[in-house]
Amino acid sequence: MYVDKETIKRDFKKKLTSMFAEEVEEASNIHKYQALASVIKDYSAENWMKTRKHYTEKREKQVYYFSMEFLLGRLLMSNIINIGIEKECQSALKDLGIELRDLEEAEMDAGLGNGGLGRLAACFLDSMASLGIPGNGCGIRYNYGLFEQKIIDGYQVEVPDNWLRDGNVWEVRKQNKAVEVRFGGQVKPYFEDNRLKFSHEDYDPVIAVPYDMPIVGYHNNTVNTLRLWSAEPVTGEFDFSSFSKGEYTKAVEYKSLVESISQVLYPDDSREEGRILRVKQQYFFVSAGIQSIIRTYKKMGVPINRLDEYIAIHINDTHPSVAVAELMRILVDEEEISWDEAWRITTNTMAYTNHTILAEALEKWPVEMFKKILPRIYMIIEEIDRRFREELSRRYPNDSNRIRRMAIIRDGSIHMAHLAIVGSHSVNGVAKLHTEILKKQELSDFYNYYPYKFNNKTNGITHRRWLIQANPELSNLIDSAIGTKWIYMPTELRRLMSYSKDRIFQSKIGAVKYHNKIKLANYIKDKYDIDIDPNSIYDVQIKRLHAYKRQLLNVFNILNLYYQLKENPDMDIVPRTFIFGAKASPSYYLAKQIIKLINTVAAKVNNDISIKGKIKVIFLANYRVSLAEKIIPAADVSEQISTTTKEASGTSNMKFMMNGAVTIATLDGANIEIKEEVGDDNIVIFGMKDYEVINYYKNGGYSARDFYNNDARLTRIVNALIDGSLNVSSSEFKIIYDSLINHNDEYFVLRDFDSYVKAQGRIDELYKDSVKWEEMCICNIANSGVFSSDNTILQYSKEVWNTKSSLIL
Ligand SMILES: *Cc1c(COP(=O)(O)O)cnc(C)c1O
């Protein structure tokens, strides 16, 4: 839709008056942001209604993407860009003496996710809307998102993320669409009309209230919905005006128990934590989501046994896999469909994405706990498990071990990933290597039994946020070279290849990068009062802090360089700025100490004038989507250095590539596919191959101590962790030392060190040849189109969901 500048000015001023009774001159940036956001929301409102009506009237098949996490970041700019009124907004505000940039900064990130998995869900929503695919998000409206990270004395300190403090302009509370979700109590079987039925008694009711957020498609009039559920107590039954004292206390307890369900996002990334509350969170949004799907579906007047023709439910990682049992419960108990028919519908409706092979992240719940919280769901899972085992014993009559391995309930635990696999028609990994590992190793029994269910869908990123929005200068330069077709067809970026050796275009690419580097330097000066040199190489590692991602390897290379520079301050290297951003799970002590180590090394290196400023280390606190958008366009080098086989896909690797950074990487996750796209000359690869890692894990034979003893550089660096030379107590980094030497370096940091140092040397050499370097940058941008999440979503749509684009005119 189009809105002219004068209309925006008028609407904005009117909004400031109606919301805050303020004039432009007196309003704070927060109020101005809220007024503008509210105006933008108004502009998308009509299309939001139209889209919803269009989908139901046309009876389009809809997909519901169930995810515990949606890491949306800020929405003002992406909504303005997707509506298509960026220039108009900018100049309307300019007339009023306001910079759109300043209002952008007033928006709190919606940080309802930990990292890659949550950001993927957000990119997918953007792609579904932009492709006109009827796609809905379903999740939890956490009162507190991922914690805010402060760095105090080099340590991570967690502060609650009160993102709703000033309200959330984008959401609409839909009280009349609330549903009830039931926890605890007992299940009593009884007979009625010749049918075994179950009544659920003495349960604790929780009201799930939906808050809807518009997901605006790019220039296509489509506005999809993200529905986030909030847990509220039932009113009436436990009335606060109750006279009896005992009742009152119970009522207060009940209220806070209920509200705890949507209170806070669990701050773990691939680390299994939390227990009862997490099970409750999962069932809460899954049950609310499925109930609301069924209610909407029934309004279409199509018989319930055709649900799978009109609805696809996607399970984003194991977290929402209780959806399989919940849909069975509704079909069998409430719709009174036979078990077999309900199972056919359920498995045809559900699809599951696996996100990790890290064993600690495959959720298992103790039967005793689960059964108390969800007694009827437990019975259903038991029945699914019983029938599945029966099926297996027909197929593998003499292989009780295999049956045990594959069972859903085993050794007193419920294996949620198994439930998801058995209950879905599609199981996918998130990069080619990851899917192969699932098929051959982690899930090989299931692949053997259900080969047709397994497929790969390599992750992607929305090029609208990560290129058009985050890097407008680059985006405009691309337009000027190859036109704008790439915006709708990101693989068209390939046409940039014909400019890869064009010296004029190269220098323009270099100029855009340099400009972005100055912008980031200014931001860092402003926020942290540190000077960084825009002529240095910006070498960036931003991602969750986890041992497998190997920030430690990066630090070791920095220490190695530092020691070399101490000996030879005139060493001929391009100055480098090493930039880190990472949150560690609050309970993950090793990870938090690695943060302290990075800051300790930063203090040491940055304050040592003898190395003539050749290297600097910066840790940017509170890494989040809006910070990523500032860093990535300015990056020269993208650090993707996980232990091979451990990073399922990675998505920041794609964001960097699209912004013209050169990747230094192990052959892990989607790095492999990035290498296939850009070719060997445009990426720097190092480290062990997948089979080498797998061999070590299988057969042992790795001795971290040998590497430590036999490489003098490593001896010195590892000793520095405990000999006080980093100016901290010698016990500070003992845990890191132990993980390497006494626990034999599970992630092969010492094993890959030499290879990594050499690869960093190659980066230095390549950068010195600026013509070659610019060519590499262009090749990376040109070949990044396949990693647009539009591409990924089209594959899901065609091969998994059977949904189609439904354009609203
Ligand atoms: C893209 C993104 C991630 C994922 O990064 P990886 O390097 O792929 O782990 C995590 N956090 C934020 C804020 C992101 O934007």
Side-chain angles (χ1 to χ4, degrees), residues 323-420:
V324 170
E326 175 65 1
L327 183 54
M328 285 298 288
R329 182 189 70 78
I330 291 175
L331 294 177
V332 173
D333 290 3
E334 295 182 8
E335 302 299 326
E336 308 201 329
I337 292 175
S338 75
W339 182 279
D340 289 327
E341 177 70 348
W343 186 245
R344 181 194 64 78
I345 298 167
T346 298
T347 50
N348 283 338
T349 303
M350 300 285 167
Y352 162 62
T353 296
N354 174 288
H355 279 269
T356 177
I357 59 162
L358 297 185
E360 67 264 32
L362 291 177
E363 286 178 308
K364 287 181 292 204
W365 303 121
V367 166
E368 287 312 311
M369 171 191 91
F370 194 93
K371 187 167 164 174
K372 272 196 206 110
I373 305 172
L374 302 172
R376 179 61 187 144
I377 292 297
Y378 179 70
M379 291 169 71
I380 288 168
I381 295 176
E382 253 188 339
E383 181 62 12
I384 295 171
D385 182 54
R386 191 187 65 77
R387 288 171 181 245
F388 180 53
R389 283 168 184 263
E390 229 171 63
E391 239 181 82
L392 289 176
S393 54
R394 281 194 294 274
R395 169 80 174 265
Y396 309 110
N398 302 313
D399 199 347
S400 59
N401 273 337
R402 180 191 296 265
I403 297 170
R404 233 187 61 79
R405 286 200 303 270
M406 296 175 73
I408 297 167
I409 303 174
R410 182 222 305 166
D411 300 331
S413 294
I414 309 174
H415 292 248
M416 299 305 281
H418 296 190
L419 177 64

Side-chain angles (χ1 to χ4, degrees), residues 71 115-116 119 466 542-543 549 623-625 628 650-652 655:
L71 190 47
R119 184 54 232 174
W466 296 108
I542 44 175
K543 48 185 74 248
K549 292 181 183 275
Y623 178 55
R624 62 199 184 285
V625 173
T651 48
S652 77
K655 300 168 194 165

Side-chain angles (χ1 to χ4, degrees), residues 71 114-117 119 269 461 466 542-544 548-549 623-626 628 632 639-640 647 649-653 655:
L71 190 47
N114 275 286
L117 176 149
R119 184 54 232 174
D269 195 35
I461 55 164
W466 296 108
I542 44 175
K543 48 185 74 248
R544 282 302 287 264
Y548 85 79
K549 292 181 183 275
Y623 178 55
R624 62 199 184 285
V625 173
S626 60
I632 293 170
E639 296 273 353
Q640 306 300 338
E647 188 74 272
S649 163
T651 48
S652 77
N653 46 3
K655 300 168 194 165

Side-chain angles (χ1 to χ4, degrees), residues 43 104 154 188 209 224 319 349 412 420 468 492 495 580 635 651 673 687 760 781:
Y43 294 158
E104 255 186 281
K188 299 241 166 76
V209 181
N224 284 344
H319 321 138
T349 303
I468 298 171
E492 286 288 303
R495 290 154 57 118
F580 291 86
T651 48
E673 290 157 66
Q760 283 289 23
I781 301 165

